Amino acid sequence: MSITTSTGRRVAAGLLGSALALLAAGAPAAAAPAEADGPWSITAERLVLNPTTKGYAGTFAVTVTNNGTTADYPSLDFVEPVGASFDSVTPGGPCLYQGLSANRMRIECIGETIEPGASQTYTFGFHAWTTPRKYAMTAADSEISVLGDTGEPAASATVSTIFRSTTGSLKKPQPYVQAARSDIRATSGAVTLHRLADGSLEGRMPLTVRYGNDAPSYGINVSATLPAGVVVNHIEPQDMPSWDLGFSVPGERFLPGEERTFDVILSAPAGTPGGVLGTGSYTAMSSFCYCEDVQDVDPADNTASFTVTADAS
């Protein structure tokens, strides 16, 4: 597949990555009528998000038809129905972040080449990390478009979204309102670094991070401020990256109200004197859009401060 100059510039806006495996299939609904304008046409199903043990998951199908006279590939542009919910597209990829729209990510996915007069169906998967409710809910409608060579929509279809209740009902839905600002709290205690056989020091300290609501987030990063010579050696469990002055919170994405405790291993070089080395702190921040910082409802409790002491012996 060749990429045009205009598409190449859009690709440079930020690569999201190749498609992942689907989570779960939502119930199909009748196709919405396309609003064709040019050599493309498109139809889209309703997105039904079904409750799972960790939020909601579902898919919708989009069928794109090439009404032109030459083979071409579609660039599919859409705003996800729930912030930080896009999970996969099959077939297809790569997909690209294109910034925020009402705290939901605008995403563009590059489809496979479609011959003249032929159609291709794409399945988009979503996972909404919010607490399943006993009642059905609706999210704001989204629009999915095939972009023309100028980057403007050549054909569009509307996608409605409904959350199935935990009882299985889609009747009498209430509006779903996603939190706009994160609600993170970090807590920790003092830490003592113990002398190792080679003279260096190492200490283990538990850190607890709580995510209080369902604001869009792909994960939580923690920046560390530490006394001179003290660094983050690693975290346990080490299923997310760490570096000298920070780390990503391990585990899956947080559900609202979830609290997670893990260990941060701090170290200092041989020759570090015993006694109180100073005060350190961890500041936890949500990671969502590269284009702007995520605001928190109470930034003060995002930071946990602690005293770092080294064994004298």
Side-chain angles (χ1 to χ4, degrees), residues 5 14 20 73 123 133 139 145 156 191 211 232 296 310:
T5 301
L20 302 175
Y73 62 90
T123 301
R133 273 75 152 182
S145 301
S156 301
V191 60
Y211 202 80
V232 175
D296 195 88

Side-chain angles (χ1 to χ4, degrees), residues 92-292:
C95 292
L96 330 162
Y97 291 118
Q98 301 287 22
L100 292 181
S101 176
N103 216 33
R104 298 179 293 164
M105 193 69 74
R106 178 173 289 281
I107 296 167
E108 181 181 346
C109 293
I110 311 301
E112 297 183 337
T113 298
I114 303 176
E115 296 297 322
S119 299
Q120 174 69 61
T121 298
Y122 299 91
T123 301
F124 290 83
F126 297 87
H127 190 157
W129 293 79
T130 190
T131 304
R133 273 75 152 182
K134 294 181 180 179
Y135 50 86
M137 298 185 292
T138 55
D141 286 350
S142 298
E143 187 173 75
I144 186 163
S145 301
V146 182
L147 300 182
D149 289 340
T150 64
E152 295 298 318
S156 301
T158 298
V159 179
S160 61
T161 299
I162 189 165
F163 295 72
R164 191 183 300 277
S165 74
T166 53
T167 62
S169 175
L170 295 175
K171 296 179 179 180
K172 298 181 179 180
Q174 301 180 27
Y176 169 62
V177 180
Q178 188 174 23
R181 296 189 295 168
S182 63
D183 184 13
I184 299 172
R185 185 178 68 215
T187 54
S188 66
V191 60
T192 298
L193 306 184
H194 302 285
R195 197 78 57 176
L196 303 179
D198 63 359
S200 64
L201 296 114
E202 187 174 279
R204 177 185 300 268
M205 62 178 302
L207 174 65
T208 299
V209 175
R210 183 180 188 275
Y211 202 80
N213 60 20
D214 65 354
S217 176
Y218 292 121
I220 297 177
N221 295 324
V222 179
S223 60
T225 300
L226 299 169
V230 180
V231 298
V232 175
N233 186 284
H234 64 283
I235 59 173
E236 293 182 4
Q238 185 78 67
D239 66 348
M240 293 294 283
S242 61
W243 49 99
D244 284 356
L245 292 176
F247 46 89
S248 297
V249 174
E252 292 183 294
R253 287 160 60 177
F254 281 78
L255 284 169
E258 183 180 351
E259 190 171 274
R260 194 173 299 166
T261 299
F262 56 98
D263 288 334
V264 183
I265 313 302
L266 299 178
S267 63
T272 300
V276 176
L277 300 181
T279 300
S281 66
Y282 297 130
T283 299
M285 291 295 295
S286 176
S287 174
F288 180 31
C289 181
Y290 67 90
C291 55
E292 58 185 75

Side-chain angles (χ1 to χ4, degrees), residues 1-27:
M1 175 184 77
S2 61
I3 295 182
T4 64
T5 301
S6 61
T7 301
R9 286 196 296 268
R10 296 196 298 272
V11 169
L15 184 65
L16 185 148
S18 298
L20 302 175
L22 293 178
L23 278 179

